[in-house]
Amino acid sequence: MVDKGDVAWMFVSTVLVMLMIVPGLALFYGGLVRAKNILSVLMQVLVVASLALVLWVGYGYSLAFDGGNAWIGGFGKAMLAGVGPSSTVATFTQGVVIPELAYIAFQGAFAAISCALVVGAIAERAKFAAVLLFAALWFTFAYLPLAHMVWAGNGFLFKLGALDFAGGTVVHINAGVAGLVGAYMLGPRIGFGRERLSPHNLPLTYVGASLLWVGWFGFNAGSALEANGVAALAFANTLLAAAAAVLAWSAVEAVLRGRASMLGAASGAVAGLVAITPACGTVGVGGAMVIGACGGAAGFWGVNALKRHLRADDSLDVFGIHGVCGIVGAVLTGVFTAPALGGTGAADFDILRQVGVQCAGIGITLAWSGLVAYLAFQIAHRLRGLRVDHDSEREGLDISAHGESAYEI
């Protein structure tokens, strides 16, 4: 049975996820870089997402969800072979299906934002061609295998029992560790640690964070694949976790620094959204607020203390927010899914066992994505070179790479 309400919700959810990319993520990142690099970041987010969408149709959807083994799918639906208006895929309710094209579009938007997230870690110094080459390689050899392992019915982590409702491992930890590897391999920006590399337009970042929050309702609640009670639970959890994270980040910042910042509050919202993503469909609202608050506090630690310890110029804190908060959310999913804590787990739900399974998923994601990212950046370095030259970086990538300027002097 195909329900028109479910189909309409999937269309809306896909549009909301695209809203997260352009303009949401693009503006969030764009406001955080210096004025001479904003267009380069907007361009990279847009073109990387577009590349991922085209590759998704070419072979990505097939390798992620069509047959195969426990690690990767097959090529049976490359270029969407055999898919048409009457094709359907099953949802989580027995006997209920949705059009396969709607599912393909929704999952394609996930792949697109995952690739675009990495851009923030290497902003203001990476060659445009190298970014595109890396994105194609990482999409193929990191994103697709992990999406298959976690979400395909025959995937290794799916069969192991790992819980990842909307992409804590597949999207956020995956992109976070790839960004960290990229930050190490490109090296720090000129002046990092010596010059002031401040965001040039925080109102743009605020707008971007707000659009991310709005779009995240489609990201999380859309992952229910139906307009039903599970979607409502994911919707409410997305709302409350982000709010709790804003308060937590702001409170920690006020205690440790004497004042709460707008950038901190906006980053807190994103941190809470990342943390609740794997748990949104299986935890109660109380658990969601705890996870959000933990995500906000962990995100503050990730972009401050951890970043100093790692000594990596992760330009826009991709690992500090998406990597760290994704890990926190994935672990706590194994805790708050327990029915005794308000979750939707079975009566015999075992927290210790589930946390162990969650940690296995985290470990596999960190190791595999990190390895693939390293090799992909190495290939891009040898074929195209990773970093612009000194003069181009000083001038800014807007002019040197794209021949444009965002602001008239």
Side-chain angles (χ1 to χ4, degrees), residues 51-389:
L51 174 64
L53 286 168
V54 171
L55 296 179
W56 179 252
V57 169
Y59 58 85
Y61 172 70
S62 186
L63 286 177
F65 292 108
D66 183 52
N69 52 41
W71 310 102
I72 193 67
F75 286 100
K77 292 190 176 180
M79 287 301 298
L80 306 190
V83 177
S86 60
S87 304
T88 60
V89 294
T91 67
F92 299 106
T93 301
Q94 184 69 30
V96 177
V97 296
I98 57 173
E100 189 169 13
L101 286 170
Y103 183 69
I104 290 168
F106 180 68
Q107 286 290 347
F110 271 57
I113 196 170
S114 300
C115 294
L117 283 172
V118 184
V119 165
I122 56 177
E124 301 197 290
R125 61 201 188 277
K127 287 185 177 180
F128 184 59
V131 172
L132 296 183
L133 179 55
F134 163 80
L137 292 169
W138 182 81
F139 165 85
T140 303
F141 297 104
Y143 182 84
L144 296 180
L146 284 166
H148 179 81
M149 282 190 276
V150 173
W151 288 329
N154 62 335
F156 173 74
L157 290 172
F158 184 90
K159 291 191 294 185
L160 191 64
L163 298 174
D164 187 356
F165 191 80
T169 50
V170 179
V171 176
H172 298 291
I173 301 175
N174 197 6
V177 69
L180 182 62
V181 171
Y184 278 124
M185 295 190 68
L186 270 81
R189 291 167 289 178
I190 295 172
F192 179 70
R194 302 186 306 276
E195 301 175 11
R196 189 173 178 84
L197 306 177
S198 301
H200 89 284
N201 194 324
L202 287 179
L204 282 185
T205 297
Y206 178 89
V207 172
S210 302
L211 289 169
L212 283 169
W213 192 350
V214 172
W216 224 291
F217 290 109
F219 194 88
N220 283 355
S223 293
L225 304 183
E226 301 173 55
N228 60 9
V230 177
L233 177 64
F235 195 99
N237 286 343
T238 302
L239 179 69
L240 294 168
V246 170
L247 297 177
W249 187 304
S250 298
V252 172
E253 191 174 35
V255 169
L256 297 180
R257 294 182 173 174
R259 61 176 64 88
S261 68
M262 188 287 294
L263 176 58
S267 299
V270 177
L273 291 164
V274 170
I276 195 58
T277 291
C280 59
T282 60
V283 304
V285 292
M289 287 191 285
V290 173
I291 292 172
C294 291
F300 180 85
W301 172 77
V303 305
N304 291 286
L306 179 62
K307 186 174 184 178
R308 288 193 298 271
H309 178 73
L310 293 174
R311 298 181 180 178
D313 184 13
D314 179 354
S315 306
L316 309 182
D317 297 311
V318 177
F319 183 77
I321 291 180
H322 295 275
V324 170
C325 298
I327 291 170
V328 169
V331 172
L332 293 181
T333 299
V335 176
F336 288 99
T337 297
L341 298 175
T344 63
D348 60 348
F349 186 88
D350 186 331
I351 292 178
L352 289 179
R353 181 195 176 280
Q354 190 62 50
V355 168
V357 172
Q358 298 300 104
C359 288
I362 292 167
I364 290 172
T365 302
L366 290 172
W368 184 248
S369 182
L371 175 62
V372 171
Y374 174 77
L375 295 175
F377 276 118
Q378 284 283 15
I379 293 171
H381 172 65
R382 294 180 182 278
L383 295 181
R384 304 297 305 181
L386 285 179
R387 186 163 179 162
V388 299
D389 60 50

Side-chain angles (χ1 to χ4, degrees), residues 4-26:
K4 292 182 179 179
D6 293 337
V7 178
W9 173 235
M10 292 310 300
F11 289 157
V12 170
S13 295
T14 303
V15 170
L16 287 171
V17 178
M18 289 305 301
L19 180 74
M20 293 172 67
I21 310 170
V22 283
L25 182 67

